[in-house]
Amino acid sequence: MNTARFRIEPASYERDLPDLRAVREAVFIDEQQVSPEEEWDDLDAGSFHLIARDEHGSPIGTGRLTPEMTIGRMAVVAAWRGRGVGEAILDALIERARVLHYPAVELHAQTHAIGFYERAGFVAFGEEFQEAGIPHRSMKLPLALRSPRSESPSSADGEVGNRLIEIDTFDALRRIVPELIGAARREVCLYTRDFDPPLLSTPEALEAFRQFAIGTKEAKVRILAHDATRATREVHGLIALAQRLPSRFEFRLIEEEPDTQYASAFIVNDRGGYLFRPIATRHEASASFDGAARARQLAEVFNEVWERARPAAELRALA
């Protein structure tokens, strides 16, 4: 099984242009014979760019979200195709569009890649057309940004309310996690890469988990993680709490591809609340306490991966 790791991060067009070029020119200009004049356009400088890097920092994939609400320049170098890089870039671009309150995003898909985008929810429309000499079709993804009650402006500091909340600091993340846990009725689902000790092992988060777990006999916390090494090495408070309340907590470890390449992290409760970080190692996030549609989407992702993940009996046995 391939366990190679990569990360996805926002790219500065000015600073990271050489790395963007390294990927896009290899894929579009060298492989697909797109002319340089068509590859580099006026939208690049004003777009939001993502870049995927391997564990050594080398660029392996790109994608952009333009002010015209389109996704494009999705490219992954040949050696990394089929390993979840494209899916992770696309997911992060879609989430960025939600944070920007875009009602929908569109893209021009090469016809051989239509299935890839359909798996993310895009729907093709219109006739096939030629772009840079390659057959394409237009595709669109509507975005459920807000619930019907979400009319207030979004907040950058993590203030709780019935709206989409935009977060860009660790302090805001730290404050919203206990609120989301405390708002749950019977279930909290947590998708994490390494148990996030600085975020999930704070006294406030642990107390919220404890109160939720003892509040009803039906309470359940399910936790999916990529790697438990850091949590066990640092004696994570959440694992210790779960060992005291074993009937309320369940852990599974992610070992199958493409699940191992998923770059995001999230918390979702059963009352329409969620916190989603497109890139798990960064503080930027979107959240809502009444985002039922988005919460259902995240719960579906969680449940699909949960079925494939391995029960982590070793976490229950730790002293």
Side-chain angles (χ1 to χ4, degrees):
M1 179 180 66
N2 168 40
T3 58
R5 296 181 179 277
F6 64 86
R7 68 181 188 272
I8 296 171
E9 58 192 30
S12 162
Y13 185 69
E14 293 78 13
R15 183 189 67 239
D16 297 312
L17 182 57
D19 287 343
L20 295 173
R21 283 187 178 277
V23 176
R24 287 169 52 176
E25 292 184 353
V27 173
F28 295 123
I29 296 176
D30 296 342
E31 289 185 32
Q32 300 184 2
Q33 302 299 301
V34 175
S35 70
E37 293 76 18
E38 291 180 282
E39 172 56 26
W40 303 99
D41 60 24
D42 293 338
L43 291 173
D44 266 322
S47 294
F48 173 78
H49 296 265
L50 287 176
I51 191 162
R53 300 183 184 276
D54 66 17
E55 57 189 340
H56 305 295
S58 299
I60 60 173
T62 69
R64 76 179 187 184
L65 178 68
T66 77
E68 297 181 348
M69 297 185 288
T70 61
I71 287 174
R73 301 311 192 261
M74 291 280 298
V76 177
V77 298
W80 278 85
R81 289 171 196 161
R83 299 163 76 176
V85 179
E87 290 89 342
I89 293 172
L90 183 61
D91 287 346
L93 289 173
I94 292 170
E95 191 60 29
R96 176 67 177 177
R98 286 194 173 95
V99 169
L100 293 173
H101 302 175
Y102 289 179
V105 286
E106 295 188 13
L107 54 82
H108 292 170
Q110 295 184 16
T111 53
H112 70 84
I114 287 175
F116 168 81
Y117 293 109
E118 286 179 335
R119 289 192 293 275
F122 284 84
V123 176
F125 66 92
E127 300 295 325
E128 182 178 300
F129 59 92
Q130 296 287 315
E131 189 170 87
I134 301 170
H136 284 72
R137 284 195 71 189
S138 295
M139 302 190 77
K140 184 174 183 177
L141 174 68
L143 300 177
L145 292 171
R146 300 167 182 249
S147 68
R149 292 180 289 160
S150 300
E151 299 298 335
S152 302
S154 57
S155 168
D157 61 4
E159 179 185 355
V160 175
N162 293 333
R163 57 181 178 268
L164 184 70
I165 303 167
E166 298 173 17
I167 296 169
D168 60 8
T169 67
F170 176 77
D171 187 59
L173 281 175
R174 179 186 59 80
R175 286 188 284 120
I176 203 169
V177 167
E179 297 288 344
L180 278 169
I181 299 164
R185 183 182 293 110
R186 295 185 180 88
E187 185 174 55
V188 175
C189 296
L190 173 62
Y191 195 119
T192 175
R193 298 195 68 81
D194 62 358
F195 287 89
D196 269 323
L199 182 64
L200 300 176
S201 201
T202 66
E204 296 82 3
L206 293 176
E207 180 61 16
F209 276 116
R210 189 185 73 84
Q211 290 291 343
F212 169 69
I214 66 176
T216 172
K217 64 181 180 180
E218 298 175 334
K220 177 66 69 175
V221 179
R222 292 191 293 154
I223 302 171
L224 273 169
H226 288 237
D227 186 1
T229 303
R230 182 184 181 192
T232 55
R233 183 179 65 242
E234 299 184 13
V235 192
H236 200 301
L238 183 55
I239 296 176
L241 175 63
Q243 291 163 359
R244 296 197 299 271
L245 299 167
S247 65
R248 300 290 189 264
F249 290 82
E250 188 172 355
F251 300 96
R252 292 193 180 185
L253 294 178
I254 300 165
E255 295 183 335
E256 294 190 14
E257 290 194 357
D259 303 334
T260 56
Q261 307 300 345
Y262 188 65
S264 305
F266 59 84
I267 300 173
V268 61
N269 67 31
D270 59 349
R271 298 186 69 178
Y274 69 87
L275 169 69
F276 182 84
R277 286 184 287 163
I279 303 172
T281 56
R282 297 179 63 89
H283 300 150
E284 290 85 356
S286 58
S288 177
F289 287 84
D290 62 352
R294 180 60 171 148
R296 281 195 300 271
Q297 292 173 350
L298 293 173
E300 289 172 4
V301 170
F302 184 94
N303 288 327
E304 289 176 5
V305 179
W306 182 264
E307 292 303 316
R308 296 188 289 267
R310 173 177 67 81
E314 64 268 33
L315 295 180
R316 295 186 177 276
L318 289 173

